[in-house]
Amino acid sequence: MSSRWITRFAVVGAIAVSSVLVVAPAQAATKPAQVTGVAKATQDWAGKSVKMTWKAVPKATTYVLKWSTRSDLGSPVYKDSTTVGAWMTKLQPDKTYYVTVAAKTGTTAGAWAKTVTTKLQPNAVANFGTITAKPATNGVTVSIPEVANASDYQVRWSAGPNENRTPDRWTPHFTPWSSAFDPATRTWTLPGSDSDLTSVAYGNPIYVRAMARNTYFNSTFVRKSAQVSAWPTPTKPNASGTPVHLASYNVLCSGCETSGTPGWAKRAPAIAKVINDKAPDVLTVLEASGLSNGAGSEQAYLDLDRRLPNLQLVDTAPMTVSKSHQGNRIYYDPAKYTVLDHGVLAGVKDYEVSPASAAPDTNTPWAKLQAKDGSGTTFYVVAAHYGIPSSAYSTPRKTLLGQNSAQLLTALNRVNTPNAAGKRLPVLLGGDLNDSRYPEDAIDGAQPTLIRGGFYDASASQHRYGTAKTTYNNYQPPSNQADDPNKDGQRIDYILTQGLQGSDEFVNNWNPGTSVIPSDHNMIEAKVRVPVVG
């Protein structure tokens, strides 16, 4: 063939090739390598979750985690992940799970990894963090942080601070055990009750301790939190009531001082300074008896009257009761109030004397006051001082003091009679009842009996000051008056109100600010609002 034809054929062939579209066959995605290194990374016990991890596979775009409780991986759960690592969720504690992972490039999956096992591993329950207790309506609210490795929570609450005290311990209350797994309950509102003196009117705290356990690790061990306490939310005073500032002070009778302590002549100026500095409208004084300055001198309550320029005695006459209780008296501000009537409650027995048939009445004065501000506010004031019962009685001391309160209620109702609408006038009571909350489990004492009779403890106040210390200082200087470790200083001195609830302020004046210790008791005071009774 000539060279001309060869050239022509080549050109024509090139033209023919150039006019044909050549399509290459599609190339399949590369199958990713098998995943290796599958292992447990961490766990979230409360969330019932375990995180698995593995080695990255080159060119993998996603991974598929698969797990099951069956060794053949039947009925599995799947989870896609765009990263190395994924969480297995909704696991059962201490149960074995079979796990595998596959890598994917696009929609092409590689071989499943070698199956491994894992579990949500139970461990010893950890220590508690900080728990808090806050006031709630007639109770307290307690909150706890998550406790690592807990399976259940429970809360214990009680009227008493020492759960190990025997045999006189308050009956504790418990919440049911509840799951610690998310979403777990970690806040509870715990109610107060009259049966253990924790309803708001008693003015007592509620003591709380939380508990945690892990029944999957140890079915018997219980981890306990620190104990915390709070008072129920106090009742707010009626804003429309007439403000009254009431104080109560056991001033220790003249001649009753212990050896080495100053007598009345030195104590009286300090007593008067405490009272005058706080300037109450009404004052109940206990034990202001005895000769103020030796033989032939006046009674201490008269001497004190001269030292209080803004206050005046309701009654200066000697009482017809035992000499030792002459000093239970009521003072008032004559610029603010008029005395409409006064007297002594009959039938409040002095169990310092036994037997009961021989016990005389104790001096329990009352006064009926009316405000001069034109509001018509009228109320009763009572100064109460119960004697410490003789040890000759077989009846428990607390029970006898509770009987004193029952006697006071009966006598008071004879004086404070209902009006045409069936309403009685409000009552403010200040006094030394010689009775605290203890011993535990005894609820028939002086203050509880009055509370059940319709009184309210003014220490359950909007503002409390000095209540971590006892009201009976035992003639100790302020530097020796330590806070009660349970934040609730025991009180035998009280301000109680009937016909009104709540106080704006309650103060235990544990630091009198004087060089001489005035008395073996602290003066207490409350600011209340007395309603007009129509």
Side-chain angles (χ1 to χ4, degrees):
M1 182 179 296
S2 67
S3 60
R4 183 177 63 184
W5 282 106
I6 293 173
T7 301
R8 182 178 180 184
F9 179 81
V11 171
V12 172
I15 293 172
V17 170
S18 66
S19 64
V20 177
L21 178 62
V22 179
V23 179
Q27 184 176 7
T30 303
K31 186 175 183 180
Q34 184 182 36
V35 173
T36 60
V38 179
K40 178 180 178 179
T42 189
Q43 71 176 35
D44 175 6
W45 174 262
K48 287 187 174 180
S49 303
V50 167
K51 186 176 184 180
M52 301 298 293
T53 189
W54 51 85
K55 292 182 179 180
V57 173
K59 298 182 180 180
T61 55
T62 58
Y63 299 91
V64 181
L65 177 66
K66 180 170 72 170
W67 68 90
S68 172
T69 57
R70 291 167 47 174
S71 59
D72 64 357
L73 288 168
S75 302
V77 178
Y78 295 92
K79 177 167 282 188
D80 292 328
S81 176
T82 58
T83 61
V84 172
W87 285 93
M88 300 165 55
T89 56
K90 300 180 180 180
L91 306 184
Q92 294 302 310
D94 205 26
K95 191 174 188 65
T96 298
Y97 288 87
Y98 298 86
V99 187
T100 184
V101 183
K104 293 175 67 177
T105 300
T107 59
T108 302
W112 289 106
K114 180 181 178 181
T115 300
V116 298
T117 59
T118 191
K119 64 171 57 177
L120 183 62
Q121 180 67 44
N123 294 298
V125 64
N127 292 323
F128 275 85
T130 301
I131 77 170
T132 59
K134 297 180 179 180
T137 301
N138 210 33
V140 299
T141 296
V142 62
S143 297
I144 67 172
E146 180 182 309
V147 180
N149 300 313
S151 64
D152 303 271
Y153 296 129
Q154 187 179 56
V155 174
R156 175 194 189 278
W157 75 100
S158 168
N162 186 352
E163 65 188 71
N164 298 314
R165 192 195 312 268
T166 56
D168 54 340
R169 53 182 294 182
W170 292 101
T171 301
H173 308 278
F174 296 90
T175 63
W177 284 100
S178 61
S179 174
F181 295 107
D182 294 335
T185 296
R186 292 198 292 272
T187 297
W188 297 263
T189 297
L190 313 171
S193 68
D194 288 325
S195 63
D196 56 12
L197 315 184
T198 53
S199 292
V200 61
Y202 293 92
N204 295 324
I206 296 174
Y207 296 92
V208 183
R209 191 186 301 277
M211 291 166 284
R213 66 184 182 184
N214 190 333
T215 56
Y216 298 94
F217 183 81
N218 184 325
S219 61
T220 60
F221 176 78
V222 175
R223 180 78 67 188
K224 295 183 178 181
S225 74
Q227 179 179 267
V228 294
S229 63
W231 281 258
T233 300
T235 303
K236 287 186 177 181
N238 186 339
S240 64
T242 300
V244 177
H245 181 187
L246 173 67
S248 185
Y249 204 176
N250 182 326
V251 296
L252 181 63
C253 54
S254 176
C256 298
E257 299 87 358
T258 58
S259 176
T261 58
W264 179 264
K266 289 187 177 180
R267 293 192 300 112
I271 292 169
K273 183 179 188 306
V274 172
I275 297 170
N276 289 328
D277 284 352
K278 300 311 290 270
D281 303 325
V282 182
L283 171 69
T284 62
V285 166
L286 305 314
E287 291 193 27
S289 59
L291 300 177
S292 60
N293 198 23
S297 64
E298 62 188 355
Q299 283 282 316
Y301 61 84
L302 296 172
D303 177 62
L304 187 59
D305 187 37
R306 293 187 297 100
R307 298 174 185 273
L308 305 176
N310 296 323
L311 296 176
Q312 180 176 308
L313 269 167
V314 167
D315 190 354
T316 61
M319 301 295 178
T320 58
V321 295
S322 60
K323 182 179 178 181
S324 63
H325 296 294
Q326 287 293 309
N328 300 341
R329 299 283 168 158
I330 298 171
Y331 299 74
Y332 72 104
D333 184 346
K336 294 183 177 181
Y337 307 102
T338 298
V339 178
L340 300 181
D341 199 0
H342 66 89
V344 176
L345 296 180
V348 182
K349 296 301 179 180
D350 182 4
Y351 291 124
E352 290 176 309
V353 178
S354 70
S357 58
D361 283 4
T362 190
N363 174 28
T364 308
W366 60 267
K368 184 178 181 181
L369 305 182
Q370 186 172 70
K372 291 182 175 180
D373 61 1
S375 66
T377 303
T378 307
F379 57 96
Y380 283 91
V381 179
V382 177
H385 185 204
Y386 302 161
I388 298 175
S390 168
S391 59
Y393 286 99
S394 59
T395 303
R397 166 178 165 172
K398 183 177 282 290
T399 301
L400 288 171
L401 293 169
Q403 290 178 10
N404 280 153
S405 287
Q407 294 157 2
L408 185 150
L409 288 166
T410 298
L412 181 60
N413 285 341
R414 287 196 296 263
V415 172
N416 185 15
T417 56
N419 63 13
K423 297 180 180 179
R424 301 179 192 270
L425 290 175
V427 180
L428 309 183
L429 183 152
D432 170 8
L433 306 185
N434 267 314
D435 190 27
S436 70
R437 291 177 62 206
Y438 296 94
E440 294 180 342
D441 279 352
I443 63 172
D444 59 349
Q447 186 249 29
T449 300
L450 289 172
I451 299 299
R452 288 191 289 270
F455 277 86
Y456 180 98
D457 195 316
S459 71
S461 179
Q462 299 300 302
H463 302 93
R464 303 160 54 99
Y465 302 100
T467 57
K469 293 179 171 60
T470 179
T471 64
Y472 176 70
N473 62 52
N474 197 25
Y475 232 85
Q476 294 297 310
S479 58
N480 289 351
Q481 294 185 49
D483 284 358
D484 184 279
N486 299 303
K487 302 179 183 179
D488 178 39
Q490 293 308 298
R491 58 194 188 279
I492 60 175
D493 303 273
Y494 297 87
I495 291 176
L496 304 169
T497 63
Q498 187 184 57
L500 64 146
Q501 292 196 336
S503 67
D504 291 315
E505 181 177 286
F506 180 88
V507 183
N508 173 23
N509 290 281
W510 61 273
N511 186 354
T514 57
S515 58
V516 173
I517 300 173
S519 173
D520 57 351
H521 289 248
N522 301 329
M523 186 178 83
I524 59 173
E525 56 181 315
K527 294 181 179 180
V528 300
R529 294 178 179 269
V530 180
V532 175
V533 175

